[in-house]
Amino acid sequence: MSTLTRGATDGRAATAPAPAPARRLRGLAWLVVRQHRTALIACAVAVVLGAAWIAYRRGAMLDTLHGAGWPAKPPSEVDGNLLNRIINDLGSMGSSLAFLPVLLGVFLGAPLISADLENGTARLVTTQSVSRTRWLVWKVGFALLLSAATSGILGLFYAWWWRSAGPFAPDDWLNSPVFAVTGPTGVATALFTTSLGILAGALLRRTVVSMAGTFLVSGFALVAAEMFRPLLDSPRRLAYPVGAERPALLDHVVVVDEWFGTASGKLYGWGTCAHDSSPEACRSALGIVDRVADHYTKDQMAGMQWTAAAAFTVLAAALVGALLWRARRRAL
Amino acid sequence: MRDTTTYGTADARWALEARGLGKRYRRRWALKDCTFRVPAGRIAALVGPNGAGKSTLLNLATRLAEPSAGELRIFGAPADAPGTMGRWAYLGQDKPLFKRFTVEQTLRMGRELNPGWDQRAAERIVRSGQVPLDARVETLSGGQRTRLAFALAFGKRPELLLLDEPMADLDPVARDEIGSLLLSEAAEHGTTVLMSSHLLSEIEDMCDYLVVLAEGRVRMAGEADELVPMHTLVTGVTEEDALPAALNAHTVIEVRTSGRHFTALVRRQGPLQGPWQLTEPGMEEVLLAYLRSPGAPALLSPTAVPGHREESAA
Amino acid sequence: MVVFRIERRSGMPAYLQIVHQVEQALRMGALAEGDKLPTAAQVAATTKVNPNTTLKAYRELERLELVEVRQGSGTFITRSLATPQTAPESPLRGRLGEWMREAREQGMTADDVTTLFDTVLGEAYPGIAPRPAHVPAN
């Protein structure tokens, strides 16, 4: 009989080793990379361009500072306009990078599964010889890895720039993008927004709807995270006598609140007696002897970043866990 | 139902076996109390009006849904058993494919995701339709896309091929071509096929086994060669505006009257005698009668009854 | 290789049409002893016939002792039905051809000829069943 029919009787052994290019990626890894090639390229381009831009701006900044005589001259003698320009530069790049997790959630997370549900390709893949869960694990893993790599690498470059600015970098690390962008926070935030987008896509099943939803919820979450950031650690408290000179320490920390204090430690608001005809008399009547400044010092930053990162990572894990738990129980 | 010993043991003679199978979506039963089986090696048609439960049945077989009641077995093993996935292939009506993949990449996907992949068979199906391997899926015609989807399905080397309206959106030439392809590939590999379709003439041409669903229940199941000849088309004159009483000894599936004339499709329960004209109905006529009369008593040929002790005639 | 042609609307089951076409090919000498019949897959590919139908036809032919199914290699013709009289050069056939041409010249239509032929056939071979309305010839 024909060779074709003989192939059939030989069964699986007859599977043709067709001439194929060397396969570096196999199985679901190949499929996921091929399917999300565009996202992969977009992220790579964003990383390369972002890193190049940071390197360029950093170089330009150092050139200007060296031109202005730093570090030979002390920073206090450097032109204030130049200082403002550096702070603005760092600030605008930082804000863009702080927005990056939202973009990753909207453009990488949200379409990850919803697009497959919309085009029916979810059904195509899960009716091959791979289970739903395995497919989801690969896809989610890919998206989270890509998301983490993109935000992580750009965060490292930004931190490098920030460090190079040395004394010219803004002192207020708590309320500037550097907290959200560098270190573990940037990566964890991106993991959270991406997971949020993925789960939204799986639940809402429509790409555009889940992109919009992810944009709103992740934007809201990042604003909320910034608002509650001071709760990550308790501020330190410094008291100094009323009328004494403000300690130099307070120039380079993040002061979040200031009070008046009595000898017994009772606190009065900053505005106490401000409108009185004789503020000093009014204060001494209350027994106020100290000024009190609540502040965060630079050495608290890393700990707070790790706490924030841990919170975002736990949220991300919960979202991914919910997705997989749901997929195990019922069809997508 | 004398023999229930096959129950619980893997019995590869039955490609599909449903016992009391039901699926409920919220309040509505999309499929209820379905009991039937399809022997291996058949080209079986899944027939029924829209909403009859055909897609639900295919979803249950392909694990896209979980049964709410009863069970479904594929070659004797539960549909959700780990090893079962590699034994069937599914092709949906819209034939989803990755639009940006090339034909070659689509086949590679099959190779990457299926351990028993048969690249030669898949490529042969694609090539015989003059589908260029380097073309992107989005540039293919409907017929070419269907052919590629079939290549993906047959490349998996399934023992059971589940098809949801495989030819609904094809032009006549492509339909004929894909129909021939389906039958010849199925013959070549001994694949059992279960295809849902609305095209009764196509079913008559291609299928040798019938599973008819209406309102979520099985109306008819079994060998087409056995089921169709059990029916007779009776034409005659009504008696006092009613069907002649003598016909009531038989199972009347459907009656249509015009004036004093009636035409009835009956399932014979013995010899038909009377002043009537008798004709042998075609498969299409029998199917239509059952589809139009969901209240008619269900008919299952012995091979279609799970537990019935009978060797599959191969 | 024989190519079967299935007339969907003839009312005759497809497997019987295959049986008849094989018999006819055997009578005409188009198939001879030792020839291999197409596989079910080949028949399906050319004529969109259900493979089980083809296999059923082959089983019927085997029962008629016209073919032999050799496991794993195919279905082969074991016996020829060709008679010298059906060969193209036989005198009987030549005379029938002449008769047909004459009938046409005298204005008889194909239907007239068929009716006349069936009538005479019935007279010559009493007891045979009337032929189905249309048996496809290949």
Side-chain angles (χ1 to χ4, degrees), chain A residues 4-5 11-12 14-15 23 25-27 30 34-35 119-120 123-124 126-130 132 331, chain B residues 59 63-64 85 90 96 98 100-101 105 108-109 111-115 117 119-120 124 156-157 188:
Chain A
L4 300 177
T5 337
R12 311 225 144 166
T15 304
R23 293 195 282 161
L25 285 172
R26 282 165 181 276
W30 174 83
R34 171 61 194 89
Q35 190 193 348
N119 300 329
R123 194 158 192 186
L124 173 71
T126 54
T127 50
Q128 307 299 314
S129 309
V130 293
R132 265 196 314 263
Chain B
N59 285 352
R63 298 210 298 186
L64 283 152
M85 280 203 94
Y90 168 81
F98 289 105
R100 289 171 189 281
F101 280 29
Q105 286 166 341
R108 172 150 180 202
M109 181 192 75
R111 189 167 79 217
E112 298 292 352
L113 302 187
N114 296 292
W117 182 252
Q119 178 76 8
R120 206 167 0 178
R124 188 183 64 225
K156 193 179 174 183
R157 275 290 183 84
E188 187 108 16

Side-chain angles (χ1 to χ4, degrees), chain A residues 22-74:
Chain A
R23 293 195 282 161
R24 269 162 298 173
L25 285 172
R26 282 165 181 276
L28 280 165
W30 174 83
L31 175 68
V32 167
V33 168
R34 171 61 194 89
Q35 190 193 348
H36 300 292
R37 202 163 63 180
T38 318
L40 191 63
I41 292 171
C43 284
V45 167
V47 165
V48 169
L49 289 184
W53 177 250
I54 288 173
Y56 165 71
R57 296 305 299 172
R58 176 183 171 276
M61 176 193 80
L62 289 178
D63 285 349
T64 336
L65 283 174
H66 294 159
W70 184 78
K73 282 197 260 178

Side-chain angles (χ1 to χ4, degrees), chain A residues 253-272:
Chain A
V253 296
V254 186
V255 177
V256 286
D257 221 340
E258 299 200 49
W259 316 84
F260 285 111
T262 63
S264 61
K266 190 169 185 224
L267 293 180
Y268 289 96
W270 181 240
T272 309

Side-chain angles (χ1 to χ4, degrees), chain A residues 2-18:
Chain A
S2 74
T3 49
L4 300 177
T5 337
R6 197 169 314 121
T9 46
D10 285 355
R12 311 225 144 166
T15 304

Side-chain angles (χ1 to χ4, degrees), chain A residues 99-174:
Chain A
F99 191 61
L100 181 69
V102 176
L103 292 183
L104 287 167
V106 169
F107 291 101
L108 179 63
L112 191 77
I113 290 165
S114 59
D116 278 310
L117 291 172
E118 249 175 14
N119 300 329
T121 40
R123 194 158 192 186
L124 173 71
V125 176
T126 54
T127 50
Q128 307 299 314
S129 309
V130 293
S131 72
R132 265 196 314 263
T133 311
R134 218 154 71 76
W135 176 63
L136 278 179
V137 164
W138 273 94
K139 277 186 80 100
V140 171
F142 168 84
L144 292 183
L145 196 68
L146 183 59
S147 195
T150 307
S151 55
I153 294 172
L154 286 173
L156 283 176
F157 271 86
Y158 186 71
W160 174 55
W161 183 11
W162 186 279
R163 272 199 312 276
S164 311
F168 305 100
D171 288 317
D172 189 357
W173 50 265
L174 188 64

Side-chain angles (χ1 to χ4, degrees), chain B residues 41-43 175-176 179-180 183-184 187-188 201-202 205-208 225 284 314, chain C residues 8-9 15 39-42 44-53 55-56 59:
Chain B
R42 297 297 195 281
I43 313 287
R175 185 176 292 170
D176 185 65
S180 304
L183 291 179
S184 61
E188 187 108 16
S201 61
E202 199 153 73
D205 285 357
M206 297 174 62
C207 298
D208 50 37
D225 281 0
E284 198 170 332
Chain C
R8 311 283 179 197
R9 296 283 161 263
Y15 87 96
T39 64
Q42 286 165 333
T46 50
T47 15
K48 204 167 92 173
V49 174
N50 181 303
N52 294 322
T53 302
L55 295 177
K56 187 171 177 183
R59 277 199 302 275

